[in-house]
Amino acid sequence: MQIARGLKALRTRADLTQSEVAKLAGVSVGTVNRYETWQDRAKLRIPTVRAIADTCGATSTELDALTQLVRNQENGWWMDHPAVPEVMDPLMSFEDVAEYEHVFANALVPGLLQTPRYALALHEAQDVRTTADVITNKVDARIKRQSILERSPALHLWAVLDDSVLRRHVGGADVMAEQIGHLHALAQRPNVDIQILQFTAGAHAAGSGGHFLILGRDDAGDPLSSMNVVYLEIHKRGLYLDAPGDVQSYKLMFDYLRSQAADTSVSLELLAAARQEFTR
């Protein structure tokens, strides 16, 4: 998506048609269109991206930025993992280059914050008629994805969790106590903020909407290195939005959710109290 938007922006700046770019770059018009519309993302290749960008007058910095985006996509551990569905490939590619991720969860603990036992209980409930080894691979992929929180520089994760996330029993009392304890520990890390949206807050900015993520990287000096993407989680598939109006709408929604949720200090106390409920 970021590569597609970058290539299209370069062509627009150069005032060229797709046909003109194809002829000058030595590729087909269909190839230019596929790359600009984010089709066949797993088949994007560095030489083709460079040829199209170079034809459109990209600077060396812009070429390097686009090349790095393709390289990150090709070399990510998730590309060859048997349990990572195709719809999740872009999300992990975006997380790999994002500076921050904002998450609203209305029912379940977000993947980046799950313990192995919580993730296992979820997959056992969701993936009916699935063999144990497949479920094990899915749990492994989910936990491996969390390494993004350990990188340097660290991804800043800000999560707003609805009260129901702490009340829904997933995997039994022991699993929940462990999971909430894990949230409490993570919330004290410098790159993780967790807020609880209490039931007492009443109606809130997300309305009846579900789980969503906002991934971003802001670089005013180099627009091609900037990124703003919204990911909406839907059963068995995901929806990615990067139109400026859509992204701004979700950013505003998240800002309101943060203001309606308990602050981070109070949320730590709420997490500690919720964990106690499962250890009685």
Side-chain angles (χ1 to χ4, degrees):
M1 184 179 289
Q2 192 179 0
I3 298 168
R5 186 172 286 277
L7 291 175
K8 188 172 182 179
L10 289 173
R11 182 174 62 78
T12 300
R13 187 179 71 188
D15 195 23
L16 295 171
T17 66
Q18 288 187 346
S19 296
E20 290 170 333
V21 170
K23 184 176 180 180
L24 293 170
V27 298
S28 69
V29 177
T31 296
V32 176
N33 183 63
R34 282 203 320 275
Y35 275 54
E36 284 192 7
T37 55
W38 201 47
Q39 297 177 35
D40 299 331
R41 60 183 177 275
K43 299 178 183 177
L44 298 184
R45 294 294 178 260
I46 289 175
T48 305
V49 168
R50 291 187 68 89
I52 294 173
D54 192 48
T55 296
C56 295
T59 65
S60 58
T61 300
E62 290 169 338
L63 282 171
D64 289 344
L66 287 169
T67 299
Q68 189 58 46
L69 286 172
V70 181
R71 185 172 289 117
N72 287 347
Q73 179 178 286
E74 290 180 338
N75 296 337
W77 62 266
W78 53 88
M79 295 298 292
D80 297 320
H81 199 291
V84 177
E86 183 177 306
V87 71
M88 292 292 288
D89 285 350
L91 175 60
M92 295 183 185
S93 294
F94 292 140
E95 283 181 338
D96 194 50
V97 297
E99 291 178 344
Y100 61 85
E101 180 170 329
H102 295 165
V103 185
F104 171 64
N106 67 330
L108 301 169
V109 174
L112 287 179
L113 300 174
Q114 292 175 9
T115 64
R117 290 207 298 165
Y118 185 95
L120 176 61
L122 280 183
H123 280 296
E124 287 177 338
Q126 296 170 351
D127 301 317
V128 294
R129 300 183 181 179
T130 300
T131 60
D133 59 322
V134 171
I135 289 178
T136 298
N137 283 336
K138 289 187 175 185
V139 173
D140 173 74
R142 180 157 299 183
I143 301 306
K144 198 168 185 178
R145 177 184 158 214
Q146 297 173 1
S147 63
I148 197 71
L149 295 176
E150 308 294 337
R151 76 174 192 204
S152 181
L155 175 80
H156 184 190
L157 176 65
W158 198 313
V160 174
L161 311 181
D162 189 271
D163 233 340
S164 59
V165 173
L166 307 182
R167 309 302 170 189
R168 183 177 300 279
H169 291 220
V170 175
D174 287 346
V175 171
M176 287 301 298
E178 179 186 54
Q179 175 62 73
I180 296 174
H182 183 59
L183 292 174
H184 189 274
L186 286 175
Q188 297 177 71
R189 293 172 54 166
N191 65 315
V192 178
D193 288 293
I194 297 177
Q195 290 180 260
I196 306 302
L197 182 61
Q198 295 177 273
F199 289 141
T200 54
H204 54 75
S208 59
H211 187 111
F212 69 84
L213 289 72
I214 305 169
L215 297 112
R217 185 179 69 215
D218 302 318
D219 188 342
D222 184 4
L224 282 181
S225 290
S226 296
M227 176 189 71
N228 283 283
V229 179
V230 174
Y231 172 70
L232 305 180
E233 195 164 283
I234 307 171
H235 184 60
K236 299 297 183 182
R237 61 187 293 265
L239 179 64
Y240 296 88
L241 307 173
D242 75 334
D246 290 331
V247 173
Q248 186 56 37
S249 176
Y250 275 90
K251 281 187 173 182
L252 182 62
M253 187 191 308
F254 192 76
D255 284 342
Y256 273 98
L257 287 169
R258 284 190 291 198
S259 70
Q260 293 165 332
D263 66 31
T264 52
S265 296
V266 173
S267 293
L268 274 175
E269 296 173 3
L270 293 172
L271 286 169
R275 183 181 182 279
Q276 270 197 315
E277 290 294 321
F278 287 104
T279 55
R280 289 179 178 176

